[in-house]
Amino acid sequence: MLTKYQIQGGKPLHGSITISGAKNAAVAIIPAALLVDGVCRIENIPQISDVSLLLQILQELGAEVRTVNRTTVDIDCSHIRNRQVPYDLARKIRASYYLVGALLGRFGWAEVPLPGGCDLGGRPIDQHVKGFVAMGAEVDVRNGLICAKIPNGRVAGGQVYLDMVTVGATMNIMLAGTLAEGMTVIENAAKEPHVVDLANFLNSMGANIMGAGTDVIKIRGVKRLRGGCYSIIPDQIEAGTYMAAVAAAGGEVLIQNVIPKHLECITAKLVEMGVEVEELDDAVRVKRTGMINRANVKTMPYPGFPTDMQSQIAAVLCIAAGTSVLTEGIFDSRYRYVDELRRMGAHIQVDGKVAVIEGISSLTGAPVHACDLRAGAAMVIAGLAAQGTTEIDGIHHIERGYENLVGKLSGVGADIREITVEDGELQTHVG
Ligand code: EPU
């Protein structure tokens, strides 16, 4: 049985969409609960499969996880009894690497399966390891596991200068350093909103972390974290994805529950492309009536244009007036979706980290594949803008990071539905 999204394109979007909690904050904050002695109430949790997997992993480790309501969970890791992270669950997601920092910080010992996640070319974890080693750990990889151990049981502080700006290593070192014996300093740290959110979560539970959001983060180790309540920030990339969807399909949508400051890098580019964006206190109004202008886009660490929006903006530039140049500044290979956009008539040439997009007047619907999470979002955007029917398979990738995408887009007038196909036959339609 195969589930796909089916989109009849060419319908402008009108109404409002409410943004969920940030995936890349949630997937670090949930493992961070391992460091807390007591109950953490986490609010604004997105309902996505990466989050369910991490909650399941914590439960397998012995955490008590109680669903309070649709977006709130209570997690109590006071009585962790098992430290074997289930292999099959952990290797499905990238964020399982945060279990290393969290378990090392709490127990001085971690064995975690090497992470999975989107295939974006090589995704080494050498900077995470460099950080753990600087903090006194012995680390090696064997039998598919990252094995990290502190000989005397408690992480010592350490000084780490990251060779490149990495979100994952910055947050993992922060996790390992929270309960350390001394001070940890991360230089050339990532400044993404979710880095700040993790620091705020940990500080609200009693940690002493300074400088998150700048390129030097100082973590003074504390003896214990106590329970508390924390609400995750809204998802910058989910909001940016719907902004791009309005740009591509046309119309006017109020995107609610956002932090407009986090969206500035996306807003600035859309405005350059001829889209109207009005910033309100906790919402942005996005409107596109005329043509899309060509633009050059280079992805960079925050506050630059995010790599996680690269494919979605590419889908919009496919129908821009003129030729655009897209440069991927973070990952080796993030253009696997280009072949799928070509099926819809897009004119794109890729050479290494650069894609040249020659705008055409309209895309045409086609059967396409979501090869990763953001690539899948790009297919949805292209499908909304295209003439005719687009069917997208591989939607489990999209569900890893977008809560109720079909419902949110249907709510603003998109003709998108989930269909289930068995043995090549269309079987049922789900709203
Ligand atoms: N890098 C290394 N060594 C390391 C770590 C990173 O060489 O030890 C390199 C990477 O290969 C990449 C660059 O440094 O070229 C940046 O990688 P980063 O560590 O920032 O990425 P990540 O932790 O693997 C997270 C998000 C990604 C997002 C990137 C960049 C999670 C679970 N994943 O990945 O999210 O693209 O940061 O912002 O938080 C997504 O949401 O679609 C997604 C892929």
Side-chain angles (χ1 to χ4, degrees):
M1 218 149 60
L2 184 63
T3 309
K4 303 182 184 187
Y5 291 161
Q6 187 183 67
I7 302 173
Q8 302 292 339
K11 295 190 167 48
L13 308 178
H14 287 280
S16 65
I17 292 179
T18 300
I19 298 306
S20 303
K23 161 186 166 275
N24 287 345
V27 297
I29 286 174
I30 293 168
L34 280 164
L35 295 166
V36 181
D37 205 0
V39 180
C40 316
R41 172 159 292 187
I42 309 175
E43 298 174 342
N44 205 27
I45 292 224
Q47 285 197 314
I48 52 176
S49 60
D50 272 16
V51 159
S52 324
L53 268 169
L54 275 166
L55 289 173
Q56 206 182 327
I57 291 173
L58 285 197
Q59 277 174 307
E60 301 261 342
L61 294 177
E64 281 173 38
V65 177
R66 195 174 68 85
T67 303
V68 179
N69 59 44
R70 202 179 60 78
T71 57
T72 306
V73 289
D74 282 347
I75 304 178
D76 185 354
C77 294
S78 313
H79 307 290
I80 294 293
R81 51 176 190 274
N82 172 12
R83 287 182 235 160
Q84 295 295 341
V85 176
Y87 197 89
D88 288 340
L89 294 181
R91 68 195 283 270
K92 284 190 185 153
I93 49 172
R94 188 82 201 145
S96 51
Y97 53 34
Y98 293 129
L99 296 164
V100 182
L103 288 169
L104 198 62
R106 167 101 186 253
F107 300 110
W109 181 93
E111 284 193 0
V112 178
L114 279 167
C118 294
D119 177 1
L120 311 175
R123 295 182 78 178
I125 52 161
D126 57 303
Q127 299 301 302
H128 305 231
V129 172
K130 176 173 151 174
F132 299 146
V133 169
M135 299 162 93
E138 291 165 0
V139 186
D140 68 315
V141 174
R142 57 185 132 86
N143 308 117
L145 303 170
I146 312 164
C147 306
K149 191 174 169 202
I150 304 282
N152 75 0
R154 186 168 174 205
V155 174
Q159 177 105 8
V160 191
Y161 197 110
L162 296 172
D163 294 344
M164 74 284 297
V165 177
T166 134
V167 170
T170 301
M171 305 227 269
N172 226 344
I173 294 167
M174 202 190 282
L175 290 167
T178 294
L179 299 178
E181 193 78 54
M183 169 90 104
T184 302
V185 180
I186 311 172
E187 294 192 71
N188 197 24
K191 296 184 276 208
E192 268 66 5
H194 33 290
V195 173
V196 179
D197 209 37
L198 175 64
N200 287 343
F201 166 82
L202 290 166
N203 282 342
S204 75
M205 306 280 150
N208 186 349
I209 301 171
M210 293 154 287
T214 75
D215 47 21
V216 181
I217 300 178
K218 293 186 177 159
I219 306 146
R220 194 181 296 282
V222 295
K223 283 222 162 57
R224 66 183 283 265
L225 300 185
R226 54 180 187 274
C229 179
Y230 189 79
S231 182
I232 291 176
I233 51 165
D235 197 306
Q236 174 206 32
I237 304 300
E238 190 199 11
T241 299
Y242 292 122
M243 291 168 82
V246 181
E252 179 174 340
V253 175
L254 182 69
I255 298 176
Q256 305 184 104
N257 184 35
V258 301
I259 299 175
K261 177 86 192 146
H262 294 167
L263 300 175
E264 275 172 0
C265 38
I266 302 163
T267 300
K269 197 46 74 178
L270 289 174
V271 167
E272 191 183 321
M273 290 160 64
V275 179
E276 291 171 44
V277 183
E278 184 192 354
E279 286 184 7
L280 306 163
D281 282 350
D282 62 354
V284 287
R285 192 185 308 281
V286 184
K287 183 176 176 187
R288 203 271 287 174
T289 45
M291 285 291 294
I292 306 260
N293 306 326
R294 61 156 299 282
N296 294 339
V297 181
K298 178 166 185 186
T299 67
M300 288 194 281
Y302 189 82
F305 190 89
T307 175
D308 292 344
M309 279 297 297
Q310 187 245 86
S311 55
Q312 300 92 313
I313 207 79
V316 184
L317 291 172
C318 286
I319 51 165
T323 301
S324 307
V325 179
L326 200 55
T327 309
E328 172 55 38
I330 306 290
F331 290 105
D332 289 344
S333 151
R334 213 172 185 178
Y335 289 122
R336 292 198 310 141
Y337 63 88
V338 162
D339 280 343
E340 303 303 306
L341 286 179
R342 285 194 186 120
R343 290 179 201 278
M344 302 176 75
H347 290 181
I348 310 180
Q349 297 301 323
V350 177
D351 186 3
K353 293 190 164 197
V354 177
V356 177
I357 306 174
E358 198 189 314
I360 54 171
S361 58
S362 170
L363 294 166
T364 48
V368 290
H369 176 63
C371 50
D372 64 52
L373 166 60
R374 307 304 172 187
M379 294 307 125
V380 171
I381 291 170
L384 294 171
Q387 301 295 322
T389 308
T390 297
E391 279 187 10
I392 306 170
D393 66 27
I395 62 169
H396 61 282
H397 286 297
I398 301 176
E399 289 167 354
R400 284 187 39 222
Y402 289 92
E403 176 180 324
N404 187 23
L405 177 129
V406 169
K408 289 186 186 187
L409 283 172
S410 306
V412 290
D415 186 343
I416 177 169
R417 67 195 63 211
E418 209 175 285
I419 57 171
T420 306
V421 181
E422 196 169 24
D423 296 325
E425 293 296 321
L426 192 62
Q427 213 189 35
T428 50
H429 287 251
V430 190

